[in-house]
Each structure stands twice: as C-alpha cells, then as structure tokens.
Amino acid sequence: MEEARGRMTKDGIRIYETADFEGMRAAGLAAARILDEVAALVAPGVTTGALDDFIRNRVVELGTTSATIGYRGYKHASCISVNHVVCHGIPGDKVLKDGDILNIDVTVILDGWYGDSSRMYVAGALSRKAERLIQVTHDALMIGIEQVRPGNTFGDIGFAIQQFVEGHRMSVVRDFCGHGLGRVFHAPPNVLHYGRKGSGPVLEEGMFFTIEPMVNLGRPETKVLADDWTAVTRDKSLSAQFEHSVGVTAEGCEIFTLSPADRFHPTWG
C-alpha cells in the first residue's frame, strides 16, 4: 500500500495533502452509497444478519474492501445497533420489530483510503420519543461539523455538540469517540463529543477524521456485553448515532460521506 504523504503535528495527527482529498471522496462516496441502498431493506421482520449480508455483497460489487471484516477478529461488514445498543452491535438472528430504531455503521477501503459513516434507520412506525432523539443526534453532528475550520480546536467541536444535546435534556456518551482516519482505520486524534471551548489540538487544513456523536435519552453511562463488542446504555434508554468522515479545508470543512440520494436522515429529508 502506498505510504501516506504529508506531515505529522506534535499531537501525532497526520496532515494530508490536497491531492489526498480525492481518495477520501471516493471512499466516502462508496460507504454512503451502501448506506443509501440498505435503507430499502430495513423493515419489521428483517434480521440484522440479512442487512449485513446485503452490505457485504455490495462492498464487493463496488470494488471496495470491508474494513471491519477481520478487524480485531470481527466477522461482519457492518455494525448494527438496535434501540438501547449504543454502538458495535453485532449483526445476526435478531428480527427487527415495528418501531425499532437502528444505527448501521459501514467502513470500506478503496485504493487504500478509508470511508467511514453511520446513520439511523427506522423499522416501521417511528415513535415520538425516538423521532426526537434521532433529530437531536442528527442536528448535534451537523452543529459539530460547523465548528470544523482551521484555527478552531477539537474542544470547540465537543463543546458545541454537548451544549446542544444537553440543552434538549439528553446525554452525550463519553465512552466512545470519533477518530482520525485516512490510509488507516483509526488514528489520532480522539474526537470527543463533549469538552471545553478552546481545548485540545488546533484544527489544520489537511486533517481527516470522523465526528460521530452517540446520544442517549437517559444517562450517558454504557457497558460492554460479554461478546466484547456490543455497547449498551446502562439504564436501557434509547440511543442514537450519526457519523460523517470529514476533512479540514482552507475555508472550513468537506464532508466525504454525504448521501448521494439525500437519505442520510431516516425521513430522507
């Protein structure tokens, strides 16, 4: 694999070159296309394993590679987290019920570049409380992205997300965060979804990373189940998450994982 170009900051964050944005656009588009297409299959009576089978096949058909299959022993092309599962839900025999909400997280590799994104889906009718949670989580991500520009800090991103979420009497998960990526799956920095204005490393043009807030209707505490992957809310409250891969530009931010069909939000609007 071609070595990553660019330089490293004192915080260990890689600064990519302008030419590298094209690779991230292509990888991000592939991940977003898969998440667009799987939406038509999400319905009561469908298993999470069937959704993952579709994703696995599309990863191959698009000429990409799954970043999650084989990662630390993981065997699936997606993580599918239903209701009170915060993240890293393992696809399998679970049958979706009417009103279930779920996050589907897909990461693909294309020509050595990683495209990583997740979004929320609804099986059947959407309850009012779930609708509110999904909307707040979606808006929190976009508010965080608005802070991405040279000269701001990663603390500015976390602060904006935390203030917005807690203003709606919901909580931000502390146990998981966004991350750097590019020609690797996970790299510095840790992108926290809470924090203080002006804290953390300063954003520079050429940084690539994910922002992926997890928001709970109840308290923020989580626990990991015995499978060593599945993270759930300790109080069994509903949880939601949205994730984009982004790059810092001279003017602000480029989102690499925008939905080509405008289906990033489960209401497709």
Side-chain angles (χ1 to χ4, degrees), residues 15-198:
I15 306 298
Y16 288 92
E17 298 180 353
T18 302
D20 297 329
F21 278 73
E22 187 54 42
M24 290 298 288
R25 289 183 194 114
L29 176 61
R33 283 184 61 185
I34 293 168
L35 291 175
D36 279 357
E37 294 167 1
V38 76
L41 303 181
V42 176
V46 174
T47 66
T48 55
L51 298 176
D52 187 71
D53 288 342
F54 172 83
I55 291 166
R56 182 188 300 258
N57 289 334
R58 288 301 288 144
V59 166
V60 174
E61 290 165 358
L62 290 174
T64 61
T65 302
S66 171
T68 54
I69 296 175
Y71 180 78
R72 297 183 179 176
Y74 196 74
K75 299 178 181 179
H76 306 277
S78 64
C79 294
I80 303 181
S81 304
V82 182
N83 293 335
H84 72 288
V85 179
V86 174
C87 60
H88 303 157
I90 301 174
D93 296 332
K94 181 176 179 57
V95 178
L96 296 177
K97 303 188 300 296
D98 186 53
D100 280 348
I101 64 171
L102 55 152
N103 175 275
I104 302 180
D105 190 343
V106 170
T107 307
V108 301
I109 311 168
L110 179 60
D111 296 329
W113 297 101
Y114 284 72
D116 186 2
S117 184
S118 80
R119 61 180 86 156
M120 295 300 296
Y121 301 82
V122 181
L126 180 62
S127 72
R128 180 67 189 108
K129 67 177 182 179
E131 180 180 21
R132 185 167 164 267
L133 170 67
I134 288 171
Q135 189 65 54
V136 167
T137 308
H138 172 274
D139 293 349
L141 168 62
M142 302 315 293
I143 285 168
I145 289 174
E146 288 174 1
Q147 295 296 315
V148 179
R149 55 183 176 270
N152 274 7
T153 69
F154 283 94
D156 293 334
I157 298 171
F159 177 82
I161 291 170
Q162 181 182 6
Q163 290 294 107
F164 179 77
V165 169
E166 292 180 354
H168 285 82
R169 301 195 174 195
M170 300 179 193
S171 64
V172 176
V173 170
R174 267 62 164 181
D175 298 331
F176 302 94
C177 61
H179 53 88
L181 82 170
R183 285 196 168 272
V184 291
F185 195 174
H186 295 102
N190 289 332
V191 183
L192 306 181
H193 305 114
Y194 61 95
R196 293 180 295 105
K197 269 187 173 182

Side-chain angles (χ1 to χ4, degrees), residues 9-11 13 15 149-156 198-205 207 209 248:
T9 72
K10 62 182 178 59
D11 300 293
I13 304 170
I15 306 298
R149 55 183 176 270
N152 274 7
T153 69
F154 283 94
D156 293 334
S199 65
V202 175
L203 296 167
E204 296 183 42
E205 181 181 358
M207 289 181 173
F209 52 89
V248 184

